[in-house]
PDB file of all heavy atoms in Angstrom:
ATOM      1  N   ASP A   1      -6.725 -12.478  10.820  1.00 92.00           N
ATOM      2  CA  ASP A   1      -6.745 -12.514  12.286  1.00 92.00           C
ATOM      3  C   ASP A   1      -7.472 -13.732  12.845  1.00 92.00           C
ATOM      4  O   ASP A   1      -7.188 -14.171  13.954  1.00 92.00           O
ATOM      5  CB  ASP A   1      -7.389 -11.241  12.839  1.00 92.00           C
ATOM      6  CG  ASP A   1      -6.536 -10.017  12.582  1.00 92.00           C
ATOM      7  OD1 ASP A   1      -5.304 -10.183  12.399  1.00 92.00           O
ATOM      8  OD2 ASP A   1      -7.079  -8.904  12.561  1.00 92.00           O
ATOM      9  N   GLU A   2      -8.424 -14.268  12.077  1.00 93.00           N
ATOM     10  CA  GLU A   2      -9.157 -15.451  12.522  1.00 93.00           C
ATOM     11  C   GLU A   2      -8.482 -16.744  12.077  1.00 93.00           C
ATOM     12  O   GLU A   2      -9.016 -17.833  12.293  1.00 93.00           O
ATOM     13  CB  GLU A   2     -10.595 -15.426  11.999  1.00 93.00           C
ATOM     14  CG  GLU A   2     -11.484 -14.419  12.717  1.00 93.00           C
ATOM     15  CD  GLU A   2     -11.432 -13.057  12.043  1.00 93.00           C
ATOM     16  OE1 GLU A   2     -11.434 -13.010  10.804  1.00 93.00           O
ATOM     17  OE2 GLU A   2     -11.374 -12.049  12.766  1.00 93.00           O
ATOM     18  N   GLY A   3      -7.341 -16.651  11.418  1.00 93.00           N
ATOM     19  CA  GLY A   3      -6.615 -17.826  10.984  1.00 93.00           C
ATOM     20  C   GLY A   3      -7.050 -18.382   9.640  1.00 93.00           C
ATOM     21  O   GLY A   3      -6.578 -19.434   9.222  1.00 93.00           O
ATOM     22  N   ARG A   4      -7.944 -17.690   8.939  1.00 94.00           N
ATOM     23  CA  ARG A   4      -8.390 -18.147   7.623  1.00 94.00           C
ATOM     24  C   ARG A   4      -7.359 -17.788   6.567  1.00 94.00           C
ATOM     25  O   ARG A   4      -6.757 -16.720   6.609  1.00 94.00           O
ATOM     26  CB  ARG A   4      -9.736 -17.511   7.268  1.00 94.00           C
ATOM     27  CG  ARG A   4     -10.868 -17.966   8.167  1.00 94.00           C
ATOM     28  CD  ARG A   4     -12.136 -17.275   7.812  1.00 94.00           C
ATOM     29  NE  ARG A   4     -11.951 -15.860   8.147  1.00 94.00           N
ATOM     30  CZ  ARG A   4     -12.910 -14.956   8.124  1.00 94.00           C
ATOM     31  NH1 ARG A   4     -14.120 -15.285   7.751  1.00 94.00           N
ATOM     32  NH2 ARG A   4     -12.674 -13.709   8.450  1.00 94.00           N
ATOM     33  N   LEU A   5      -7.206 -18.660   5.600  1.00 96.00           N
ATOM     34  CA  LEU A   5      -6.270 -18.441   4.504  1.00 96.00           C
ATOM     35  C   LEU A   5      -6.880 -17.470   3.500  1.00 96.00           C
ATOM     36  O   LEU A   5      -8.017 -17.660   3.058  1.00 96.00           O
ATOM     37  CB  LEU A   5      -5.963 -19.781   3.836  1.00 96.00           C
ATOM     38  CG  LEU A   5      -4.644 -19.934   3.122  1.00 96.00           C
ATOM     39  CD1 LEU A   5      -3.473 -19.577   4.035  1.00 96.00           C
ATOM     40  CD2 LEU A   5      -4.489 -21.348   2.618  1.00 96.00           C
ATOM     41  N   ARG A   6      -6.139 -16.413   3.166  1.00 95.00           N
ATOM     42  CA  ARG A   6      -6.605 -15.373   2.248  1.00 95.00           C
ATOM     43  C   ARG A   6      -5.515 -15.071   1.223  1.00 95.00           C
ATOM     44  O   ARG A   6      -4.348 -15.382   1.439  1.00 95.00           O
ATOM     45  CB  ARG A   6      -6.908 -14.072   3.002  1.00 95.00           C
ATOM     46  CG  ARG A   6      -7.965 -14.190   4.052  1.00 95.00           C
ATOM     47  CD  ARG A   6      -9.299 -14.158   3.404  1.00 95.00           C
ATOM     48  NE  ARG A   6     -10.316 -14.155   4.440  1.00 95.00           N
ATOM     49  CZ  ARG A   6     -11.526 -14.562   4.230  1.00 95.00           C
ATOM     50  NH1 ARG A   6     -11.888 -15.001   3.068  1.00 95.00           N
ATOM     51  NH2 ARG A   6     -12.408 -14.548   5.202  1.00 95.00           N
ATOM     52  N   LEU A   7      -5.913 -14.418   0.144  1.00 95.00           N
ATOM     53  CA  LEU A   7      -4.935 -13.921  -0.814  1.00 95.00           C
ATOM     54  C   LEU A   7      -4.418 -12.579  -0.316  1.00 95.00           C
ATOM     55  O   LEU A   7      -5.192 -11.701   0.052  1.00 95.00           O
ATOM     56  CB  LEU A   7      -5.566 -13.746  -2.191  1.00 95.00           C
ATOM     57  CG  LEU A   7      -5.904 -15.033  -2.923  1.00 95.00           C
ATOM     58  CD1 LEU A   7      -6.638 -14.725  -4.224  1.00 95.00           C
ATOM     59  CD2 LEU A   7      -4.662 -15.849  -3.202  1.00 95.00           C
ATOM     60  N   ARG A   8      -3.103 -12.439  -0.297  1.00 97.00           N
ATOM     61  CA  ARG A   8      -2.462 -11.189   0.117  1.00 97.00           C
ATOM     62  C   ARG A   8      -1.873 -10.565  -1.142  1.00 97.00           C
ATOM     63  O   ARG A   8      -0.952 -11.106  -1.744  1.00 97.00           O
ATOM     64  CB  ARG A   8      -1.367 -11.466   1.137  1.00 97.00           C
ATOM     65  CG  ARG A   8      -0.702 -10.224   1.671  1.00 97.00           C
ATOM     66  CD  ARG A   8       0.343 -10.630   2.722  1.00 97.00           C
ATOM     67  NE  ARG A   8       0.857  -9.490   3.432  1.00 97.00           N
ATOM     68  CZ  ARG A   8       1.992  -8.868   3.123  1.00 97.00           C
ATOM     69  NH1 ARG A   8       2.703  -9.292   2.100  1.00 97.00           N
ATOM     70  NH2 ARG A   8       2.396  -7.849   3.828  1.00 97.00           N
ATOM     71  N   ARG A   9      -2.445  -9.427  -1.538  1.00 97.00           N
ATOM     72  CA  ARG A   9      -2.003  -8.741  -2.751  1.00 97.00           C
ATOM     73  C   ARG A   9      -1.284  -7.452  -2.367  1.00 97.00           C
ATOM     74  O   ARG A   9      -1.782  -6.690  -1.542  1.00 97.00           O
ATOM     75  CB  ARG A   9      -3.196  -8.406  -3.635  1.00 97.00           C
ATOM     76  CG  ARG A   9      -3.913  -9.617  -4.187  1.00 97.00           C
ATOM     77  CD  ARG A   9      -5.137  -9.163  -4.988  1.00 97.00           C
ATOM     78  NE  ARG A   9      -5.808 -10.256  -5.624  1.00 97.00           N
ATOM     79  CZ  ARG A   9      -6.873 -10.868  -5.117  1.00 97.00           C
ATOM     80  NH1 ARG A   9      -7.379 -10.497  -3.959  1.00 97.00           N
ATOM     81  NH2 ARG A   9      -7.444 -11.854  -5.779  1.00 97.00           N
ATOM     82  N   SER A  10      -0.142  -7.217  -2.989  1.00 97.00           N
ATOM     83  CA  SER A  10       0.603  -5.986  -2.757  1.00 97.00           C
ATOM     84  C   SER A  10       0.549  -5.129  -4.021  1.00 97.00           C
ATOM     85  O   SER A  10       0.649  -5.651  -5.138  1.00 97.00           O
ATOM     86  CB  SER A  10       2.062  -6.294  -2.421  1.00 97.00           C
ATOM     87  OG  SER A  10       2.140  -7.074  -1.251  1.00 97.00           O
ATOM     88  N   TYR A  11       0.388  -3.836  -3.819  1.00 97.00           N
ATOM     89  CA  TYR A  11       0.334  -2.867  -4.903  1.00 97.00           C
ATOM     90  C   TYR A  11       1.297  -1.733  -4.601  1.00 97.00           C
ATOM     91  O   TYR A  11       1.562  -1.434  -3.440  1.00 97.00           O
ATOM     92  CB  TYR A  11      -1.078  -2.273  -5.044  1.00 97.00           C
ATOM     93  CG  TYR A  11      -2.139  -3.294  -5.347  1.00 97.00           C
ATOM     94  CD1 TYR A  11      -2.811  -3.938  -4.318  1.00 97.00           C
ATOM     95  CD2 TYR A  11      -2.474  -3.618  -6.649  1.00 97.00           C
ATOM     96  CE1 TYR A  11      -3.790  -4.883  -4.586  1.00 97.00           C
ATOM     97  CE2 TYR A  11      -3.447  -4.559  -6.927  1.00 97.00           C
ATOM     98  CZ  TYR A  11      -4.110  -5.189  -5.887  1.00 97.00           C
ATOM     99  OH  TYR A  11      -5.072  -6.111  -6.159  1.00 97.00           O
ATOM    100  N   THR A  12       1.804  -1.107  -5.641  1.00 97.00           N
ATOM    101  CA  THR A  12       2.625   0.085  -5.477  1.00 97.00           C
ATOM    102  C   THR A  12       1.930   1.242  -6.184  1.00 97.00           C
ATOM    103  O   THR A  12       1.091   1.031  -7.064  1.00 97.00           O
ATOM    104  CB  THR A  12       4.036  -0.107  -6.069  1.00 97.00           C
ATOM    105  OG1 THR A  12       3.926  -0.414  -7.460  1.00 97.00           O
ATOM    106  CG2 THR A  12       4.785  -1.224  -5.349  1.00 97.00           C
ATOM    107  N   PHE A  13       2.275   2.453  -5.776  1.00 97.00           N
ATOM    108  CA  PHE A  13       1.758   3.646  -6.432  1.00 97.00           C
ATOM    109  C   PHE A  13       2.761   4.770  -6.232  1.00 97.00           C
ATOM    110  O   PHE A  13       3.704   4.646  -5.448  1.00 97.00           O
ATOM    111  CB  PHE A  13       0.380   4.027  -5.890  1.00 97.00           C
ATOM    112  CG  PHE A  13       0.363   4.429  -4.437  1.00 97.00           C
ATOM    113  CD1 PHE A  13       0.423   5.764  -4.065  1.00 97.00           C
ATOM    114  CD2 PHE A  13       0.289   3.470  -3.440  1.00 97.00           C
ATOM    115  CE1 PHE A  13       0.396   6.131  -2.726  1.00 97.00           C
ATOM    116  CE2 PHE A  13       0.259   3.823  -2.101  1.00 97.00           C
ATOM    117  CZ  PHE A  13       0.318   5.160  -1.746  1.00 97.00           C
ATOM    118  N   GLU A  14       2.559   5.844  -6.961  1.00 95.00           N
ATOM    119  CA  GLU A  14       3.426   7.003  -6.824  1.00 95.00           C
ATOM    120  C   GLU A  14       2.587   8.204  -6.448  1.00 95.00           C
ATOM    121  O   GLU A  14       1.434   8.331  -6.875  1.00 95.00           O
ATOM    122  CB  GLU A  14       4.184   7.274  -8.125  1.00 95.00           C
ATOM    123  CG  GLU A  14       5.185   6.181  -8.453  1.00 95.00           C
ATOM    124  CD  GLU A  14       5.968   6.465  -9.713  1.00 95.00           C
ATOM    125  OE1 GLU A  14       5.406   7.014 -10.673  1.00 95.00           O
ATOM    126  OE2 GLU A  14       7.164   6.138  -9.713  1.00 95.00           O
ATOM    127  N   PHE A  15       3.193   9.072  -5.632  1.00 94.00           N
ATOM    128  CA  PHE A  15       2.527  10.300  -5.229  1.00 94.00           C
ATOM    129  C   PHE A  15       3.545  11.425  -5.249  1.00 94.00           C
ATOM    130  O   PHE A  15       4.751  11.195  -5.344  1.00 94.00           O
ATOM    131  CB  PHE A  15       1.887  10.155  -3.842  1.00 94.00           C
ATOM    132  CG  PHE A  15       2.874  10.004  -2.718  1.00 94.00           C
ATOM    133  CD1 PHE A  15       3.277  11.112  -1.982  1.00 94.00           C
ATOM    134  CD2 PHE A  15       3.398   8.763  -2.377  1.00 94.00           C
ATOM    135  CE1 PHE A  15       4.178  10.983  -0.938  1.00 94.00           C
ATOM    136  CE2 PHE A  15       4.296   8.621  -1.340  1.00 94.00           C
ATOM    137  CZ  PHE A  15       4.696   9.736  -0.618  1.00 94.00           C
ATOM    138  N   SER A  16       3.038  12.647  -5.184  1.00 93.00           N
ATOM    139  CA  SER A  16       3.916  13.813  -5.169  1.00 93.00           C
ATOM    140  C   SER A  16       3.516  14.718  -4.024  1.00 93.00           C
ATOM    141  O   SER A  16       2.334  14.970  -3.803  1.00 93.00           O
ATOM    142  CB  SER A  16       3.817  14.577  -6.490  1.00 93.00           C
ATOM    143  OG  SER A  16       4.615  15.740  -6.445  1.00 93.00           O
ATOM    144  N   ASP A  17       4.525  15.217  -3.304  1.00 87.00           N
ATOM    145  CA  ASP A  17       4.244  16.162  -2.220  1.00 87.00           C
ATOM    146  C   ASP A  17       4.455  17.602  -2.665  1.00 87.00           C
ATOM    147  O   ASP A  17       3.976  18.529  -2.022  1.00 87.00           O
ATOM    148  CB  ASP A  17       5.085  15.846  -0.975  1.00 87.00           C
ATOM    149  CG  ASP A  17       6.576  15.816  -1.259  1.00 87.00           C
ATOM    150  OD1 ASP A  17       6.972  15.795  -2.439  1.00 87.00           O
ATOM    151  OD2 ASP A  17       7.341  15.789  -0.285  1.00 87.00           O
ATOM    152  N   THR A  18       5.144  17.813  -3.793  1.00 85.00           N
ATOM    153  CA  THR A  18       5.401  19.170  -4.266  1.00 85.00           C
ATOM    154  C   THR A  18       4.798  19.441  -5.631  1.00 85.00           C
ATOM    155  O   THR A  18       4.740  20.595  -6.061  1.00 85.00           O
ATOM    156  CB  THR A  18       6.926  19.439  -4.357  1.00 85.00           C
ATOM    157  OG1 THR A  18       7.478  18.556  -5.332  1.00 85.00           O
ATOM    158  CG2 THR A  18       7.598  19.248  -3.020  1.00 85.00           C
ATOM    159  N   GLY A  19       4.394  18.409  -6.337  1.00 82.00           N
ATOM    160  CA  GLY A  19       3.853  18.567  -7.679  1.00 82.00           C
ATOM    161  C   GLY A  19       4.894  18.366  -8.767  1.00 82.00           C
ATOM    162  O   GLY A  19       4.560  18.262  -9.938  1.00 82.00           O
ATOM    163  N   ASP A  20       6.183  18.348  -8.400  1.00 87.00           N
ATOM    164  CA  ASP A  20       7.218  18.155  -9.411  1.00 87.00           C
ATOM    165  C   ASP A  20       8.192  17.025  -9.043  1.00 87.00           C
ATOM    166  O   ASP A  20       9.325  16.989  -9.514  1.00 87.00           O
ATOM    167  CB  ASP A  20       7.977  19.453  -9.666  1.00 87.00           C
ATOM    168  CG  ASP A  20       8.713  19.961  -8.434  1.00 87.00           C
ATOM    169  OD1 ASP A  20       8.540  19.383  -7.348  1.00 87.00           O
ATOM    170  OD2 ASP A  20       9.467  20.944  -8.566  1.00 87.00           O
ATOM    171  N   ASN A  21       7.750  16.112  -8.212  1.00 91.00           N
ATOM    172  CA  ASN A  21       8.575  14.959  -7.866  1.00 91.00           C
ATOM    173  C   ASN A  21       7.694  13.717  -7.775  1.00 91.00           C
ATOM    174  O   ASN A  21       6.474  13.806  -7.804  1.00 91.00           O
ATOM    175  CB  ASN A  21       9.330  15.184  -6.555  1.00 91.00           C
ATOM    176  CG  ASN A  21       8.402  15.327  -5.363  1.00 91.00           C
ATOM    177  OD1 ASN A  21       7.189  15.311  -5.489  1.00 91.00           O
ATOM    178  ND2 ASN A  21       8.974  15.488  -4.187  1.00 91.00           N
ATOM    179  N   ARG A  22       8.337  12.577  -7.680  1.00 93.00           N
ATOM    180  CA  ARG A  22       7.613  11.315  -7.542  1.00 93.00           C
ATOM    181  C   ARG A  22       8.153  10.585  -6.325  1.00 93.00           C
ATOM    182  O   ARG A  22       9.356  10.418  -6.173  1.00 93.00           O
ATOM    183  CB  ARG A  22       7.788  10.436  -8.786  1.00 93.00           C
ATOM    184  CG  ARG A  22       7.014  10.941  -9.975  1.00 93.00           C
ATOM    185  CD  ARG A  22       7.127   9.970 -11.150  1.00 93.00           C
ATOM    186  NE  ARG A  22       6.268  10.412 -12.227  1.00 93.00           N
ATOM    187  CZ  ARG A  22       5.036   9.952 -12.447  1.00 93.00           C
ATOM    188  NH1 ARG A  22       4.540   9.016 -11.671  1.00 93.00           N
ATOM    189  NH2 ARG A  22       4.315  10.412 -13.437  1.00 93.00           N
ATOM    190  N   ARG A  23       7.248  10.160  -5.474  1.00 93.00           N
ATOM    191  CA  ARG A  23       7.606   9.373  -4.296  1.00 93.00           C
ATOM    192  C   ARG A  23       6.815   8.069  -4.370  1.00 93.00           C
ATOM    193  O   ARG A  23       5.772   7.985  -4.990  1.00 93.00           O
ATOM    194  CB  ARG A  23       7.264  10.126  -3.027  1.00 93.00           C
ATOM    195  CG  ARG A  23       7.962  11.475  -2.937  1.00 93.00           C
ATOM    196  CD  ARG A  23       8.433  11.690  -1.533  1.00 93.00           C
ATOM    197  NE  ARG A  23       9.086  12.969  -1.392  1.00 93.00           N
ATOM    198  CZ  ARG A  23      10.404  13.102  -1.318  1.00 93.00           C
ATOM    199  NH1 ARG A  23      11.177  12.055  -1.403  1.00 93.00           N
ATOM    200  NH2 ARG A  23      10.947  14.287  -1.167  1.00 93.00           N
ATOM    201  N   ASP A  24       7.330   7.046  -3.681  1.00 95.00           N
ATOM    202  CA  ASP A  24       6.718   5.717  -3.749  1.00 95.00           C
ATOM    203  C   ASP A  24       5.812   5.441  -2.555  1.00 95.00           C
ATOM    204  O   ASP A  24       6.083   5.888  -1.438  1.00 95.00           O
ATOM    205  CB  ASP A  24       7.807   4.638  -3.792  1.00 95.00           C
ATOM    206  CG  ASP A  24       8.616   4.710  -5.072  1.00 95.00           C
ATOM    207  OD1 ASP A  24       8.015   4.944  -6.132  1.00 95.00           O
ATOM    208  OD2 ASP A  24       9.847   4.524  -5.012  1.00 95.00           O
ATOM    209  N   GLY A  25       4.768   4.686  -2.825  1.00 95.00           N
ATOM    210  CA  GLY A  25       3.879   4.204  -1.785  1.00 95.00           C
ATOM    211  C   GLY A  25       3.558   2.743  -2.045  1.00 95.00           C
ATOM    212  O   GLY A  25       3.751   2.245  -3.150  1.00 95.00           O
ATOM    213  N   ALA A  26       3.072   2.062  -1.018  1.00 97.00           N
ATOM    214  CA  ALA A  26       2.718   0.648  -1.145  1.00 97.00           C
ATOM    215  C   ALA A  26       1.452   0.365  -0.356  1.00 97.00           C
ATOM    216  O   ALA A  26       1.223   0.946   0.707  1.00 97.00           O
ATOM    217  CB  ALA A  26       3.859  -0.230  -0.642  1.00 97.00           C
ATOM    218  N   ILE A  27       0.651  -0.517  -0.884  1.00 97.00           N
ATOM    219  CA  ILE A  27      -0.607  -0.921  -0.251  1.00 97.00           C
ATOM    220  C   ILE A  27      -0.645  -2.442  -0.220  1.00 97.00           C
ATOM    221  O   ILE A  27      -0.310  -3.090  -1.210  1.00 97.00           O
ATOM    222  CB  ILE A  27      -1.824  -0.390  -1.035  1.00 97.00           C
ATOM    223  CG1 ILE A  27      -1.831   1.135  -1.026  1.00 97.00           C
ATOM    224  CG2 ILE A  27      -3.120  -0.961  -0.489  1.00 97.00           C
ATOM    225  CD1 ILE A  27      -2.852   1.743  -1.955  1.00 97.00           C
ATOM    226  N   VAL A  28      -1.061  -3.015   0.896  1.00 97.00           N
ATOM    227  CA  VAL A  28      -1.226  -4.463   1.026  1.00 97.00           C
ATOM    228  C   VAL A  28      -2.683  -4.740   1.360  1.00 97.00           C
ATOM    229  O   VAL A  28      -3.227  -4.188   2.323  1.00 97.00           O
ATOM    230  CB  VAL A  28      -0.298  -5.043   2.121  1.00 97.00           C
ATOM    231  CG1 VAL A  28      -0.548  -6.535   2.286  1.00 97.00           C
ATOM    232  CG2 VAL A  28       1.162  -4.768   1.790  1.00 97.00           C
ATOM    233  N   MET A  29      -3.297  -5.573   0.539  1.00 96.00           N
ATOM    234  CA  MET A  29      -4.681  -5.986   0.752  1.00 96.00           C
ATOM    235  C   MET A  29      -4.679  -7.457   1.152  1.00 96.00           C
ATOM    236  O   MET A  29      -4.023  -8.280   0.515  1.00 96.00           O
ATOM    237  CB  MET A  29      -5.497  -5.819  -0.531  1.00 96.00           C
ATOM    238  CG  MET A  29      -5.523  -4.422  -1.101  1.00 96.00           C
ATOM    239  SD  MET A  29      -6.393  -3.244  -0.071  1.00 96.00           S
ATOM    240  CE  MET A  29      -8.066  -3.828  -0.215  1.00 96.00           C
ATOM    241  N   LEU A  30      -5.390  -7.782   2.227  1.00 96.00           N
ATOM    242  CA  LEU A  30      -5.553  -9.166   2.656  1.00 96.00           C
ATOM    243  C   LEU A  30      -7.012  -9.526   2.411  1.00 96.00           C
ATOM    244  O   LEU A  30      -7.905  -8.999   3.073  1.00 96.00           O
ATOM    245  CB  LEU A  30      -5.181  -9.345   4.123  1.00 96.00           C
ATOM    246  CG  LEU A  30      -5.190 -10.772   4.649  1.00 96.00           C
ATOM    247  CD1 LEU A  30      -4.230 -11.654   3.865  1.00 96.00           C
ATOM    248  CD2 LEU A  30      -4.837 -10.795   6.121  1.00 96.00           C
ATOM    249  N   GLY A  31      -7.225 -10.386   1.432  1.00 90.00           N
ATOM    250  CA  GLY A  31      -8.590 -10.605   0.984  1.00 90.00           C
ATOM    251  C   GLY A  31      -9.066  -9.311   0.349  1.00 90.00           C
ATOM    252  O   GLY A  31      -8.407  -8.752  -0.506  1.00 90.00           O
ATOM    253  N   GLY A  32     -10.179  -8.797   0.804  1.00 87.00           N
ATOM    254  CA  GLY A  32     -10.684  -7.530   0.292  1.00 87.00           C
ATOM    255  C   GLY A  32     -10.446  -6.363   1.228  1.00 87.00           C
ATOM    256  O   GLY A  32     -10.943  -5.269   0.995  1.00 87.00           O
ATOM    257  N   GLU A  33      -9.677  -6.588   2.286  1.00 92.00           N
ATOM    258  CA  GLU A  33      -9.477  -5.561   3.305  1.00 92.00           C
ATOM    259  C   GLU A  33      -8.056  -4.999   3.261  1.00 92.00           C
ATOM    260  O   GLU A  33      -7.102  -5.716   3.019  1.00 92.00           O
ATOM    261  CB  GLU A  33      -9.734  -6.144   4.694  1.00 92.00           C
ATOM    262  CG  GLU A  33     -11.108  -6.741   4.870  1.00 92.00           C
ATOM    263  CD  GLU A  33     -12.218  -5.719   4.710  1.00 92.00           C
ATOM    264  OE1 GLU A  33     -12.049  -4.588   5.205  1.00 92.00           O
ATOM    265  OE2 GLU A  33     -13.235  -6.063   4.078  1.00 92.00           O
ATOM    266  N   LEU A  34      -7.963  -3.706   3.558  1.00 94.00           N
ATOM    267  CA  LEU A  34      -6.668  -3.055   3.649  1.00 94.00           C
ATOM    268  C   LEU A  34      -5.923  -3.583   4.867  1.00 94.00           C
ATOM    269  O   LEU A  34      -6.436  -3.544   5.983  1.00 94.00           O
ATOM    270  CB  LEU A  34      -6.856  -1.533   3.766  1.00 94.00           C
ATOM    271  CG  LEU A  34      -5.593  -0.710   3.945  1.00 94.00           C
ATOM    272  CD1 LEU A  34      -4.725  -0.785   2.690  1.00 94.00           C
ATOM    273  CD2 LEU A  34      -5.949   0.732   4.257  1.00 94.00           C
ATOM    274  N   GLN A  35      -4.721  -4.093   4.652  1.00 95.00           N
ATOM    275  CA  GLN A  35      -3.911  -4.601   5.752  1.00 95.00           C
ATOM    276  C   GLN A  35      -2.821  -3.615   6.137  1.00 95.00           C
ATOM    277  O   GLN A  35      -2.529  -3.418   7.314  1.00 95.00           O
ATOM    278  CB  GLN A  35      -3.280  -5.946   5.398  1.00 95.00           C
ATOM    279  CG  GLN A  35      -2.492  -6.545   6.553  1.00 95.00           C
ATOM    280  CD  GLN A  35      -1.821  -7.850   6.190  1.00 95.00           C
ATOM    281  OE1 GLN A  35      -1.375  -8.035   5.069  1.00 95.00           O
ATOM    282  NE2 GLN A  35      -1.776  -8.759   7.141  1.00 95.00           N
ATOM    283  N   ASP A  36      -2.208  -2.969   5.146  1.00 95.00           N
ATOM    284  CA  ASP A  36      -1.091  -2.076   5.434  1.00 95.00           C
ATOM    285  C   ASP A  36      -0.942  -1.066   4.309  1.00 95.00           C
ATOM    286  O   ASP A  36      -1.286  -1.357   3.162  1.00 95.00           O
ATOM    287  CB  ASP A  36       0.198  -2.899   5.564  1.00 95.00           C
ATOM    288  CG  ASP A  36       1.380  -2.089   6.063  1.00 95.00           C
ATOM    289  OD1 ASP A  36       1.166  -1.079   6.767  1.00 95.00           O
ATOM    290  OD2 ASP A  36       2.525  -2.460   5.745  1.00 95.00           O
ATOM    291  N   MET A  37      -0.439   0.117   4.666  1.00 95.00           N
ATOM    292  CA  MET A  37      -0.128   1.135   3.672  1.00 95.00           C
ATOM    293  C   MET A  37       1.119   1.867   4.119  1.00 95.00           C
ATOM    294  O   MET A  37       1.266   2.178   5.300  1.00 95.00           O
ATOM    295  CB  MET A  37      -1.267   2.132   3.497  1.00 95.00           C
ATOM    296  CG  MET A  37      -0.950   3.168   2.439  1.00 95.00           C
ATOM    297  SD  MET A  37      -2.256   4.356   2.167  1.00 95.00           S
ATOM    298  CE  MET A  37      -3.616   3.315   1.795  1.00 95.00           C
ATOM    299  N   GLN A  38       2.011   2.129   3.180  1.00 94.00           N
ATOM    300  CA  GLN A  38       3.234   2.850   3.488  1.00 94.00           C
ATOM    301  C   GLN A  38       3.448   3.928   2.443  1.00 94.00           C
ATOM    302  O   GLN A  38       3.228   3.698   1.252  1.00 94.00           O
ATOM    303  CB  GLN A  38       4.432   1.908   3.498  1.00 94.00           C
ATOM    304  CG  GLN A  38       4.337   0.828   4.530  1.00 94.00           C
ATOM    305  CD  GLN A  38       5.483  -0.167   4.438  1.00 94.00           C
ATOM    306  OE1 GLN A  38       6.339  -0.085   3.573  1.00 94.00           O
ATOM    307  NE2 GLN A  38       5.485  -1.123   5.348  1.00 94.00           N
ATOM    308  N   LEU A  39       3.880   5.098   2.908  1.00 92.00           N
ATOM    309  CA  LEU A  39       4.245   6.191   2.016  1.00 92.00           C
ATOM    310  C   LEU A  39       5.688   6.570   2.302  1.00 92.00           C
ATOM    311  O   LEU A  39       6.083   6.652   3.474  1.00 92.00           O
ATOM    312  CB  LEU A  39       3.347   7.414   2.230  1.00 92.00           C
ATOM    313  CG  LEU A  39       1.963   7.340   1.601  1.00 92.00           C
ATOM    314  CD1 LEU A  39       1.021   6.569   2.480  1.00 92.00           C
ATOM    315  CD2 LEU A  39       1.439   8.719   1.339  1.00 92.00           C
ATOM    316  N   GLU A  40       6.446   6.765   1.244  1.00 89.00           N
ATOM    317  CA  GLU A  40       7.835   7.196   1.402  1.00 89.00           C
ATOM    318  C   GLU A  40       7.844   8.506   2.181  1.00 89.00           C
ATOM    319  O   GLU A  40       6.953   9.339   2.020  1.00 89.00           O
ATOM    320  CB  GLU A  40       8.420   7.391  -0.001  1.00 89.00           C
ATOM    321  CG  GLU A  40       9.872   7.797  -0.027  1.00 89.00           C
ATOM    322  CD  GLU A  40      10.373   7.959  -1.456  1.00 89.00           C
ATOM    323  OE1 GLU A  40       9.916   7.239  -2.353  1.00 89.00           O
ATOM    324  OE2 GLU A  40      11.233   8.816  -1.650  1.00 89.00           O
ATOM    325  N   PRO A  41       8.831   8.714   3.042  1.00 84.00           N
ATOM    326  CA  PRO A  41       8.890   9.962   3.807  1.00 84.00           C
ATOM    327  C   PRO A  41       8.841  11.183   2.871  1.00 84.00           C
ATOM    328  O   PRO A  41       9.455  11.201   1.809  1.00 84.00           O
ATOM    329  CB  PRO A  41      10.235   9.890   4.516  1.00 84.00           C
ATOM    330  CG  PRO A  41      10.520   8.428   4.620  1.00 84.00           C
ATOM    331  CD  PRO A  41       9.940   7.819   3.373  1.00 84.00           C
ATOM    332  N   HIS A  42       8.055  12.182   3.292  1.00 72.00           N
ATOM    333  CA  HIS A  42       7.881  13.386   2.484  1.00 72.00           C
ATOM    334  C   HIS A  42       7.605  14.570   3.408  1.00 72.00           C
ATOM    335  O   HIS A  42       7.337  14.400   4.593  1.00 72.00           O
ATOM    336  CB  HIS A  42       6.740  13.199   1.491  1.00 72.00           C
ATOM    337  CG  HIS A  42       5.414  12.936   2.150  1.00 72.00           C
ATOM    338  ND1 HIS A  42       5.090  11.705   2.654  1.00 72.00           N
ATOM    339  CD2 HIS A  42       4.370  13.737   2.417  1.00 72.00           C
ATOM    340  CE1 HIS A  42       3.883  11.761   3.195  1.00 72.00           C
ATOM    341  NE2 HIS A  42       3.425  12.993   3.063  1.00 72.00           N
TER     342      HIS A  42
END
């Protein structure tokens, strides 16, 4: 937000809403801070 250049790292993960399925999620870190998180509809 201040215009400084940072490393943007994206990660994926899996979660379950019923215990017997796998759904996808994603996390984006900008520097050391959480920038965005998405969970597949469940």
Side-chain angles (χ1 to χ4, degrees):
D1 292 337
E2 286 89 41
R4 294 178 293 189
L5 206 54
R6 300 280 185 203
L7 289 175
R8 183 178 190 263
R9 295 177 176 97
S10 299
Y11 300 89
T12 59
F13 65 96
E14 293 182 323
F15 67 95
S16 177
D17 56 347
T18 64
D20 62 353
N21 64 357
R22 287 185 174 263
R23 302 221 181 256
D24 294 320
I27 297 170
V28 177
M29 302 293 292
L30 185 59
E33 303 298 320
L34 177 66
Q35 183 182 35
D36 188 26
M37 181 179 304
Q38 298 175 358
L39 282 82
E40 182 180 327
H42 61 282

